[in-house]
Amino acid sequence: LDVARVFSELQPEALVIHADDDKEIPFHSMHEIKKGHPSLETYNASGLGHRKILRDKDLADKVSNYVSSGKIEESAAMAQQAS
């Protein structure tokens, strides 16, 4: 499946999440997808690798915020960690 080609043909609104420490899918894949559709939102879930990305509560909150608002926002837990 050529994800970059599919995204460039469909032009969907989407949030693409990938981790720069993913050992299974190269990080540059996210940038290739973004080239085909510059309005895509992207998020580097650094430190979560390929599998932890699916179980991370803070990332799930971030995705929920994106779905409800269309913006990537910090979850309450992320904001608390930053302070």
Side-chain angles (χ1 to χ4, degrees), residues 48 50-60:
L48 296 179
H50 188 77
R51 302 202 188 275
K52 291 179 194 170
I53 208 166
L54 298 173
R55 296 183 300 270
D56 187 80
K57 170 88 169 82
D58 288 335
L59 184 58

Side-chain angles (χ1 to χ4, degrees), residues 54-73:
L54 298 173
R55 296 183 300 270
D56 187 80
K57 170 88 169 82
D58 288 335
L59 184 58
D61 289 346
K62 184 176 279 297
V63 170
S64 178
N65 287 337
Y66 177 79
V67 169
S68 64
S69 71
K71 298 177 186 174
I72 300 172
E73 298 173 357

Side-chain angles (χ1 to χ4, degrees), residues 7-72:
F7 270 91
S8 68
E9 291 175 2
L10 297 177
Q11 301 295 315
E13 277 189 40
L15 171 61
V16 178
I17 301 169
H18 195 23
D20 57 5
D21 58 339
D22 187 329
K23 303 280 191 237
E24 297 181 43
I25 299 176
F27 187 64
H28 69 82
S29 298
M30 182 170 71
H31 298 292
E32 292 299 316
I33 293 168
K34 179 84 171 165
K35 280 183 197 174
H37 189 55
S39 64
L40 283 176
E41 294 283 349
T42 59
Y43 180 74
N44 179 4
S46 187
L48 296 179
H50 188 77
R51 302 202 188 275
K52 291 179 194 170
I53 208 166
L54 298 173
R55 296 183 300 270
D56 187 80
K57 170 88 169 82
D58 288 335
L59 184 58
D61 289 346
K62 184 176 279 297
V63 170
S64 178
N65 287 337
Y66 177 79
V67 169
S68 64
S69 71
K71 298 177 186 174
I72 300 172

